[in-house]
Amino acid sequence: MENNVQNQLKSIKDSAIKDFTKAQSTAELYNFKVQYLGKSGALTEAMKLMAALPKEDKPLFGKLVNEVKAELETVYFDIESKIKNKEIDAKMQNEKLDLSFSAASFPLGHEHPIFKVTNEIVSIMSRLGYSLRTGPLIEKDYYNFEALNIPPNHPARDMQDTFFVDESHVLRTHTSPIQIHSLENEKPPLRIIGTGSVFRCDSDISHLPNFHQIEGMCVDEKVSMADLKGTISFFVKEFFGPNLKTRFRPSFFPFTEPSAEVDCSCPICKGKGCSLCKQSGWIEIGGCGLINPKVFEFAKIPYPQWQGFAFGFGIERMAIIKYGVDDIRHFPKNDIRFLNQF
Ligand code: DAH
């Protein structure tokens, strides 16, 4: 084989090794690799010389080219791994980790204040032996009104502005129907609470069309107004703390006799009078009373063998008093600036 072909291969090899050695980065090194070993690199071009060689020289030439190629690849990988290690070392120097740096915070959700209050009420009442019940949001007229001693066309229906679903179904206007479901399906003695959404066609600074109530009912052999007052006073003190005052005002509900309304002193003005408490110094949280014998009659529970008391409070009202919220309409808005305060 002509010496000159061999020299040409040698000079490609030498110059490739020289270039590989002078590369400063893996990127630069790779460019040199392409220049010598790539598809249109120097070595591939040199292969073309084979065509001009006599037949007997071709195998030797092919062997030489392959040897040069293999040697260059070895050198390449060797240099590449050295440069890579250097690059990793440099990176570690430049990107020192501060392990004491606090992790990026990401926002965590939490319970809506209404559910927080509900859970707290349930937990207080469960300590008095009450267990939780639920009921449907769409109620038969019978459960929402009739069985609670509110017959059709009775003026007491006007106390609650009702959304009718059809002639015999309503969006429940209070949680009191839960009492009837419990009386029908369970055997006394009973201590139950029921919570959830209720609906009334009403909306202003202290009323929402969809709000929440908590209902309580105790049925036992001897139950008096003293038991009712004791239970509610305990509950209110546990929930609001010892500083809040409560008062019971005689009132009327068709399903209780006698009946009372429960007020708490206004947390905003501390009883002096403000727009939230309508200048009265008091905020009503709900009603209560001894279960009307008529209700027992509807539910087929023998009276006076079994007697009971019941109460129903507005959960938004309780949250307003507890947290000093100035407008009930903040609750359903879900403005994070408001919710983050709880
Ligand atoms: N259901 C009544 C309302 O929404 C509140 C109420 C009053 C519930 C007296 C009771 C009760 O259980 O005994 O206005």
Side-chain angles (χ1 to χ4, degrees):
M1 198 187 330
E2 280 177 48
N3 254 352
N4 133 24
V5 175
Q6 287 183 9
N7 289 343
Q8 222 167 321
L9 279 181
K10 186 171 178 328
S11 93
I12 290 174
K13 186 176 89 177
D14 291 346
S15 128
I17 291 178
K18 210 167 124 210
D19 282 343
F20 286 178
T21 320
K22 96 179 171 212
Q24 292 296 318
S25 65
T26 44
E28 204 183 336
L29 179 67
Y30 182 76
N31 281 340
F32 284 132
K33 184 185 179 192
V34 172
Q35 202 175 309
Y36 292 100
L37 298 168
K39 264 194 197 148
S40 37
L43 202 62
T44 321
E45 286 299 314
M47 288 286 278
K48 290 180 186 159
L49 297 174
M50 185 138 81
L53 289 178
K55 209 173 166 199
E56 61 278 15
D57 284 348
K58 286 187 180 177
L60 180 61
F61 179 77
K63 194 171 161 252
L64 277 178
V65 171
N66 282 340
E67 275 169 13
V68 170
K69 198 173 170 201
E71 195 179 336
L72 286 182
E73 273 170 356
T74 311
V75 174
Y76 172 83
F77 287 122
D78 188 38
I79 294 177
E80 188 195 36
S81 90
K82 281 187 190 131
I83 296 181
K84 265 192 181 159
N85 282 342
K86 262 198 213 154
E87 284 176 346
I88 289 172
D89 281 349
K91 205 171 171 198
M92 303 240 302
Q93 281 299 318
N94 294 337
E95 295 179 7
K96 270 198 189 139
L97 289 182
D98 178 358
L99 296 181
S100 66
F101 200 74
S102 37
S105 67
F106 56 96
L108 263 188
H110 62 74
E111 274 177 330
H112 188 279
I114 293 304
F115 288 101
K116 211 169 128 112
V117 165
T118 305
N119 290 338
E120 212 176 311
I121 298 171
V122 171
S123 136
I124 295 170
M125 293 309 292
S126 70
R127 282 196 269 135
L128 294 178
Y130 287 73
S131 49
L132 191 60
R133 301 288 181 275
T134 52
L137 300 184
I138 296 178
E139 274 292 3
K140 286 199 170 117
D141 185 288
Y142 178 79
Y143 288 102
N144 197 80
F145 294 124
E146 253 188 282
L148 286 161
N149 194 32
I150 315 174
N153 305 320
H154 193 280
R157 291 207 175 198
D158 293 342
M159 287 165 83
Q160 302 177 352
D161 264 330
T162 310
F163 290 111
F164 284 89
V165 175
D166 60 30
E167 268 174 28
S168 56
H169 292 87
V170 298
L171 291 185
R172 72 176 178 196
T173 56
H174 50 176
T175 42
S176 300
I178 295 175
Q179 289 184 36
I180 308 297
H181 292 297
S182 171
L183 290 173
E184 278 186 0
N185 298 317
E186 302 178 80
K187 282 199 174 3
L190 290 168
R191 283 181 187 192
I192 61 120
I193 37 174
T195 68
S197 270
V198 298
F199 306 86
R200 288 184 205 177
C201 191
D202 213 350
S203 179
D204 60 37
I205 186 172
S206 46
H207 296 89
L208 290 172
N210 170 201
F211 61 105
H212 300 79
Q213 284 188 336
I214 173 114
E215 191 79 16
M217 179 178 76
C218 168
V219 178
D220 215 318
E221 284 174 358
K222 254 194 173 319
V223 176
S224 71
M225 277 304 269
D227 299 313
L228 169 62
K229 242 187 128 174
T231 303
I232 291 181
S233 302
F234 169 82
F235 164 68
V236 166
K237 282 218 169 354
E238 285 295 298
F239 183 77
F240 292 113
N243 295 332
L244 209 97
K245 289 193 214 132
T246 44
R247 70 175 188 188
F248 293 76
R249 271 182 297 116
S251 185
F252 168 78
F253 297 101
F255 32 95
T256 43
E257 183 58 39
S259 305
E261 259 158 312
V262 184
D263 298 337
C264 291
S265 50
C266 177
I268 304 267
C269 63
K270 309 276 179 298
K272 283 194 212 92
C274 66
S275 62
L276 181 65
C277 61
K278 301 199 178 91
Q279 311 306 329
S280 72
W282 295 92
I283 299 179
E284 180 196 322
I285 60 168
C288 63
L290 293 186
I291 296 174
N292 192 321
K294 285 261 175 122
V295 172
F296 283 129
E297 206 179 298
F298 273 108
K300 302 193 174 55
I301 301 281
Y303 175 88
Q305 184 194 337
W306 296 107
Q307 313 168 8
F309 68 70
F311 59 89
F313 296 156
I315 292 179
E316 279 80 357
R317 289 287 177 91
M318 298 188 64
I320 282 176
I321 298 171
K322 181 152 184 154
Y323 299 114
V325 175
D326 60 357
D327 188 332
I328 197 171
R329 291 167 293 195
H330 286 308
F331 291 111
K333 267 192 198 149
N334 281 342
D335 183 330
I336 299 214
R337 289 167 302 177
F338 172 72
L339 296 177
N340 272 346
Q341 298 174 56
F342 296 90

